Amino acid sequence: MRKPEFEPRIVAFVCNWCTYIAADAAGVARSRYASNVRLIRTMCSGRVDPQFVLTAFEKGADGVLLCGCHPRDCHYSSGNYKTLRRYTLLKKMLSQMGFEEGRLRLEWISASEAEKFRRVVEDMTEQVRRLGPLDLDGGD
Amino acid sequence: MAGKPKVAFYWCASCGGCEEAVVDLAEGVLDVVAAVDIVFWPVALDFKVTDVEALPDGGITVSFINGAVRLSEQEDMVRLLRRKSKYVIAFGSCSHLGGIPGLANLWDRRSIFEWYYHKAPSVADGGSQEPRERVEVPEGTLELPAFWDVVKSLDQVIDVDYYLPGCPPTPKLIGNAVTALLKGELPPKGAVLAGTRALCHECPLNETKPEKLLIKELKRVHLTKVDPEKCLLAQGVLCLGPVTRGGCEALCVKGAMPCTGCFGPTDEVRDQGAKGISYLASILDFDDEADIRRAMEAVPDPVGTFYRYALPRSILMRSRGVKAHG
Ligand code: SF4
Ligand code: SF4
């Protein structure tokens, strides 16, 4: 019997004003993409506390995708810059904790970029599939 | 309460600073000693484990346990003390959050042994032997405690009633805790016996902290001449006062050193490191990835900076792929 292929679980935080609409548009256009992503809609990518990201990993995500509006396009003017700063720091910290590059990803996806959303999801799913399941070590 | 309350002190993976802090109560320690009956304090008084075992369950009023839990012997001892005690107080950052020894969780047991007994320059040519749990010698079998793969905070091993934070806790807070115990005026179980607000609220330099802080340059404190009259953060020195529980009365800041977070996060925060990152991100005044990276060079070790005392209590602990030493 063939071993079932590993299906990564990816949590995507999408902002209400850009990426959520893009994801919605991708759905309306019936474009096909991997079903591995669970969307969590937030008003702004700047609302995503790094604690949310860690909790997603804790609860079984193999990868976390952060999405926001392109620079200068944030509905609240600077939420996405804050997201970029957090992401830069968080990535460095996660790598110290043994997380492979690629488990956390940040993408700017505007409301009109349904195709980009599809591509990012496909690409990240493949990348995390190659990395394999996240193996958290509680040490017991 | 019939007779004097019975008190035990014990240390696990600890630097000794917490024990020293008890002695630092100075004259106060005499009041404590007069008011209580110390039944176990290996660092100062000659009691044996069998003395503790001989006590009835719940026979100790309160055990103060400092240090993180790393060895099988420590686990056995804290379980024994838990059974014998009415209250257990996690004493100091190591016991509360895992503390400095908890930073060893960036490596696993295998890579720690590999480095310290084989690869470190001081032993590299000696073929040094790793500690073994059992060794046969002509006289019989010698046993050493097992070294766990991870360092844990006290409440990851036993039920804890209260936490006295700090590296080490201040004499004043120790005094308050002991007084509350003696009077039976205890807060709800699980409380941290310190402040509830962030340190900045009690810092004498708070008045000089600007309303909105935006930083272009972070400075490393040992390379900086600090103005002791001005909020350290406003000078670009990373002070964790805004995200750390108060109660220490800003002792470090008064000594011109930034807060490094030993009282742990406030009650609303679940993960000290993640919150620390979030806070630094909101004051770093750059919008470009390259600039952010460059500014971050002043924080070469984010885990050691934001989880200095709390790595074992982080949401994630670590991924199985932790790096090897060296
Ligand atoms: S809390 Fe600080 S003083 Fe106490 S044992 Fe740990 S490192 Fe030492
Ligand atoms: S940031 Fe540090 S120095 Fe400034 S007010 Fe807060 S505790 Fe005091």
Side-chain angles (χ1 to χ4, degrees), chain B residues 13-19 66-67 91-95 99-101 166-169 309:
Chain B
S14 147
C15 76
C18 279
E19 301 279 345
N66 72 76
F91 188 103
S93 306
C94 297
S95 187
I100 303 272
C167 181
Y309 307 91

Coordinates of all heavy atoms in Angstrom, one line a residue, chain B residues 13-19 66-67 91-95 99-101 166-169 309, ligand 1:
Chain B
A13 N 17.7 23.5 39.5 CA 18.7 24.1 38.6 C 18.8 25.6 38.9 O 18.0 26.3 38.4 CB 18.4 23.8 37.2
S14 N 19.8 26.0 39.7 CA 19.8 27.3 40.2 C 21.2 27.8 40.3 O 22.2 27.1 40.3 CB 19.2 27.2 41.6 OG 19.7 28.2 42.5
C15 N 21.4 29.2 40.3 CA 22.7 29.7 40.4 C 23.1 30.0 41.8 O 24.2 30.4 42.1 CB 22.8 31.0 39.6 SG 22.0 32.4 40.5
G16 N 22.2 29.9 42.8 CA 22.4 30.2 44.2 C 22.0 31.6 44.5 O 21.9 31.9 45.7
G17 N 21.7 32.4 43.6 CA 21.3 33.8 43.8 C 20.0 33.8 44.6 O 19.8 34.7 45.5
C18 N 19.1 32.9 44.4 CA 17.8 32.9 45.1 C 18.0 32.6 46.6 O 17.4 33.1 47.5 CB 16.8 32.0 44.5 SG 16.0 32.7 43.0
E19 N 18.9 31.6 46.8 CA 19.2 31.3 48.2 C 19.9 32.5 48.9 O 19.6 32.8 50.1 CB 20.2 30.1 48.3 CG 19.7 28.8 47.6 CD 18.7 28.0 48.5 OE1 18.7 28.3 49.7 OE2 18.0 27.1 47.9
N66 N 13.3 27.2 44.5 CA 13.9 28.0 43.4 C 14.6 27.1 42.4 O 14.8 25.9 42.6 CB 14.8 29.1 44.0 CG 16.1 28.5 44.6 OD1 17.0 28.2 43.8 ND2 16.2 28.4 45.9
G67 N 14.9 27.7 41.3 CA 15.6 26.9 40.2 C 14.6 26.2 39.3 O 13.5 26.0 39.6
F91 N 9.9 30.1 43.5 CA 10.6 31.3 44.0 C 11.7 31.6 43.0 O 12.6 30.9 42.7 CB 11.3 30.9 45.3 CG 12.0 32.0 46.1 CD1 11.5 32.5 47.2 CD2 13.3 32.4 45.7 CE1 12.1 33.5 47.9 CE2 14.0 33.4 46.4 CZ 13.4 34.0 47.5
G92 N 11.6 32.8 42.4 CA 12.5 33.3 41.4 C 12.2 32.9 40.0 O 11.4 32.0 39.7
S93 N 12.8 33.6 39.0 CA 12.5 33.4 37.6 C 12.7 32.0 37.1 O 11.9 31.5 36.3 CB 13.4 34.3 36.8 OG 13.4 35.6 37.2
C94 N 13.7 31.3 37.6 CA 14.0 30.0 37.1 C 12.9 29.0 37.4 O 12.5 28.2 36.6 CB 15.3 29.4 37.7 SG 16.7 30.4 37.2
S95 N 12.3 29.2 38.6 CA 11.3 28.3 39.0 C 9.9 28.8 38.4 O 9.1 28.0 37.9 CB 11.2 28.4 40.5 OG 10.3 27.5 41.1
G99 N 13.7 30.4 33.5 CA 14.8 31.2 33.8 C 16.0 31.0 32.9 O 15.9 30.5 31.8
I100 N 17.2 31.5 33.3 CA 18.4 31.5 32.5 C 18.7 30.0 32.1 O 19.0 29.7 31.0 CB 19.6 32.1 33.3 CG1 19.2 33.5 33.6 CG2 20.9 32.0 32.5 CD1 19.6 34.6 32.6
P101 N 18.6 29.0 33.1 CA 18.9 27.7 32.6 C 18.0 27.2 31.5 O 18.4 26.3 30.7 CB 18.7 26.8 33.9 CG 18.6 27.8 35.0 CD 18.3 29.1 34.5
G166 N 11.3 37.2 39.8 CA 12.5 38.0 40.0 C 13.8 37.1 39.9 O 13.8 35.9 40.2
C167 N 14.8 37.8 39.5 CA 16.1 37.1 39.4 C 17.2 37.8 40.2 O 18.0 38.5 39.6 CB 16.5 36.9 37.9 SG 18.1 36.1 37.6
P168 N 17.2 37.7 41.5 CA 16.2 36.9 42.3 C 15.1 37.9 42.8 O 15.1 39.1 42.6 CB 17.1 36.5 43.5 CG 18.0 37.6 43.7 CD 18.3 38.2 42.3
P169 N 14.0 37.3 43.5 CA 13.0 38.2 44.1 C 13.6 39.2 45.0 O 14.6 38.9 45.7 CB 12.1 37.2 44.8 CG 12.4 35.9 44.2 CD 13.8 35.9 43.8
Y309 N 14.3 34.8 30.3 CA 13.9 34.1 31.5 C 12.7 33.1 31.3 O 12.2 32.6 32.2 CB 13.5 35.1 32.6 CG 14.6 36.1 32.9 CD1 14.6 37.3 32.2 CD2 15.6 35.8 33.8 CE1 15.6 38.3 32.5 CE2 16.6 36.8 34.1 CZ 16.6 38.0 33.4 OH 17.6 38.9 33.6
Ligands
SF4_1 S1 16.1 33.3 39.4 FE1 18.1 34.3 39.1 S2 19.0 34.4 41.1 FE2 17.4 32.8 41.2 S3 18.4 30.8 40.7 FE3 17.6 31.7 38.8 S4 19.3 32.8 37.9 FE4 19.8 32.5 40.1

